[in-house]
């Protein structure tokens, strides 16, 4: 059993992927080729924003957004401790400081009430993460940001395709970022990412930053980086976009099946009202998590932990002065089960059976 099965997906779209890659090889525009323009137009239309900017990775997307907003040394950015290190890493790379606020105990996303308590004179932005595929509480976060004149940078690396109140992930905040890492709901064959915004000036700045800070004349008007998405990777994403909505529906069916098989046995994911999830992961909470995971591994079932050590306890970002009890408790209990659009019911039944057996054998 695969945790994420990209082989089955490739077999479905092989002809389209191969044909699109062949066209790139024929025209030879490997950097910022025509597929990049096509992809950006389709992404912007899908999300419902004026601008989509394709970049080299989800991490680059966050760094570029921070640079474009002028965030740097002496500034603070409030974010969640329960996320991949890239979220805080991007803040550190521009010279700013990540300030961690605790999470909601039900959705595991950043708790807006905890955010407001962390705002200081140095705070420049709030950086929520759409953990496991569900959008953060942007209505509350954006109200806080407006009161304090802060930017909102939405880290949607796990949520592309999700919705909140009828709006798609990527349409929230001052600017939003996503990742096209292969394991994401929409992933390319390698690293990739994108930025989304309604702001014309911000979009122009981000386009400059991704090509070493150059404007249309080739003049270096700002400090930038090599942040471009390769044309071949854009070609792959265009092929995958053709089946993306179908895959999202399949992911939702897989999640519903897990809910039915596991309901009552343990804590399963909870969606907020008017939210849908991209189901980047299907994550449950269990006591004695590591022992449960070991039992599943012995049964041939891959299960992973996102994320076992919250960022405020990681050596690179450690802050022993703060206590974030909800994040710490959740990090000790979360367990992600196999999740992809091609997971068969029999496979899910096997996962559920072995998981429930492990819980029974380990006891309370």
């Amino acid at each position: 059993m695969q945790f994420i099965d990209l082989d089955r997906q490739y077999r479905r779209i092989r002809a389209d992927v191969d044909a699109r890659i062949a066209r790139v090889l024929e025209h030879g525009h490997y950097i910022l080729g025509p597929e990049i323009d096509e992809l950006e137009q389709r992404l912007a239309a899908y999300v419902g924003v004026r601008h989509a900017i394709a970049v080299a990775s989800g991490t680059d997307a966050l760094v570029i957004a921070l640079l474009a907003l002028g965030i740097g040394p002496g500034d603070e950015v409030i974010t969640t401790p329960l996320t991949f290190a890239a979220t805080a890493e991007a803040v550190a790379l521009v010279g700013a400081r990540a300030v961690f606020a605790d999470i909601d105990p039900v959705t595991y996303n950043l708790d807006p009430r905890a955010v407001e308590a962390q705002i200081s004179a140095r705070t420049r932005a709030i950086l929520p993460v759409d953990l496991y595929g569900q959008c953060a509480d942007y209505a509350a976060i954006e109200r806080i940001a407006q009161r304090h004149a802060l930017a909102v940078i939405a880290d949607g690396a796990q949520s592309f395709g999700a919705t909140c109140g009828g709006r798609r992930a990527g349409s929230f905040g001052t600017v939003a970022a996503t990742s096209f890492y292969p394991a994401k709901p929409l992933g390319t064959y390698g690293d990739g990412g994108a930025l989304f915004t309604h702001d014309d000036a911000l979009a122009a700045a981000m386009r400059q930053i991704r090509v070493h800070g150059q404007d249309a004349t080739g003049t270096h008007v700002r400090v930038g980086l090599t942040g471009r998405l390769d044309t071949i990777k854009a070609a792959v994403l265009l092929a995958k976009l053709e089946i993306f909505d179908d895959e999202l529906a399949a992911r939702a069916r897989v999640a519903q099946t897990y809910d039915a098989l596991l309901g009552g046995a343990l804590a399963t994911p909870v969606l907020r009202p008017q939210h849908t999830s991209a189901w980047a992961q299907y994550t449950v909470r269990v006591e004695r998590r590591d022992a449960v995971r070991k039992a599943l591994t012995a049964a041939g079932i891959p299960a992973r932990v996102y994320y076992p050590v919250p960022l405020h306890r990681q050596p690179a970002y450690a802050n022993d002065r703060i206590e974030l009890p909800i994040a710490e408790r959740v990090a000790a209990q979360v367990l992600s089960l196999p999740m992809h659009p091609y997971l068969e019911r029999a496979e899910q039944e096997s996962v559920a059976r072995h998981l429930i057996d492990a819980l029974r054998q380990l006891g309370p």
Side-chain angles (χ1 to χ4, degrees):
M1 186 185 301
Q2 299 293 316
F3 186 77
I4 297 170
D5 196 331
L6 295 177
D7 292 339
R8 289 190 224 184
Q9 182 194 57
Y10 177 60
R11 288 196 295 271
R12 176 181 179 183
I13 59 175
R14 181 197 301 265
D16 194 16
V17 168
D18 291 356
R20 289 177 184 273
I21 291 176
R23 282 196 289 274
V24 176
L25 296 175
E26 288 167 2
H27 66 57
H29 297 291
Y30 302 117
I31 303 296
L32 296 180
E35 285 79 4
I36 297 292
D37 290 336
E38 181 183 354
L39 177 66
E40 290 180 340
Q41 291 172 16
R42 291 191 60 182
L43 291 175
Y46 188 85
V47 170
V49 295
R50 288 174 58 85
H51 303 282
I53 300 99
V55 297
S57 70
T59 307
D60 279 349
L62 291 173
V63 171
I64 290 169
L66 290 159
L67 289 172
L69 289 166
I71 294 172
D75 296 330
E76 294 180 348
V77 177
I78 299 173
T79 191
T80 172
L82 193 64
T83 180
F84 185 58
T87 306
E89 179 180 61
V91 177
L93 286 172
V94 302
R97 176 174 174 262
V99 175
F100 300 109
D102 216 343
I103 63 172
D104 182 284
V106 176
T107 67
Y108 317 142
N109 280 328
L110 193 61
D111 186 340
R113 295 166 297 181
V115 167
E116 194 139 31
Q118 296 289 355
I119 293 173
S120 74
R122 293 186 174 185
T123 305
R124 289 287 308 282
I126 305 170
L127 206 173
V129 175
D130 302 340
L131 195 67
Y132 304 144
Q134 178 175 192
C135 290
D137 187 354
Y138 286 107
I141 289 169
E142 289 178 343
R143 285 195 297 269
I144 294 169
Q146 289 170 3
R147 283 199 300 272
H148 297 275
L150 304 174
V152 175
I153 304 168
D155 183 341
Q158 299 180 20
S159 65
F160 188 81
T163 63
C164 172
R167 292 172 57 186
R168 290 195 185 275
S171 67
F172 298 98
T174 314
V175 58
T178 198
S179 169
F180 297 134
Y181 183 77
K184 302 299 183 184
L186 179 64
T188 189
Y189 296 153
D191 282 310
L195 289 149
F196 305 96
T197 187
H198 292 284
D199 188 312
D200 295 346
L202 189 59
M206 293 190 295
R207 290 187 186 279
Q208 291 169 352
I209 292 168
R210 76 170 173 178
V211 287
H212 301 285
Q214 296 180 83
D215 65 11
T217 70
T219 303
H220 296 270
V221 296
R222 60 179 76 241
V223 174
L225 47 84
T226 308
R228 303 162 300 207
L229 180 70
D230 297 328
T231 307
I232 283 179
K233 294 177 181 178
V236 172
L237 288 167
L238 286 167
K240 290 193 177 189
L241 271 173
E242 297 296 328
I243 62 167
F244 184 57
D245 283 341
D246 181 59
E247 288 192 333
L248 283 176
R251 286 176 177 273
R253 289 193 294 271
V254 170
Q256 290 166 3
T257 299
Y258 271 139
D259 287 346
L261 293 171
L262 296 171
L266 71 172
T268 54
V270 176
L271 292 182
R272 288 174 53 85
Q274 297 187 317
H275 281 61
T276 67
S277 177
W279 296 109
Q281 288 89 28
Y282 185 92
T283 303
V284 298
R285 282 176 67 180
V286 294
E287 299 290 344
R288 303 184 64 185
R289 188 264 317 285
D290 294 340
V292 172
R293 184 187 183 195
K294 183 177 180 180
L296 290 177
T297 300
I301 294 171
R304 299 181 182 174
V305 179
Y306 304 102
Y307 299 91
V309 180
L311 293 186
H312 69 293
R313 297 292 185 233
Q314 292 280 2
Y317 311 102
N319 186 338
D320 293 330
R321 294 175 297 175
I322 61 171
E323 296 291 335
L324 303 175
I326 299 173
E328 292 172 18
R329 182 166 65 252
V330 169
Q333 297 174 334
V334 287
L335 185 66
S336 295
L337 306 179
M339 163 55 81
H340 58 82
Y342 306 97
L343 198 63
E344 297 175 359
R345 183 180 178 90
E347 293 175 302
Q348 291 189 261
E349 289 173 346
S350 177
V351 172
R353 182 174 65 256
H354 284 99
L355 177 54
I356 292 170
D357 285 349
L359 293 172
R360 288 173 177 162
Q361 291 173 12
L362 292 168

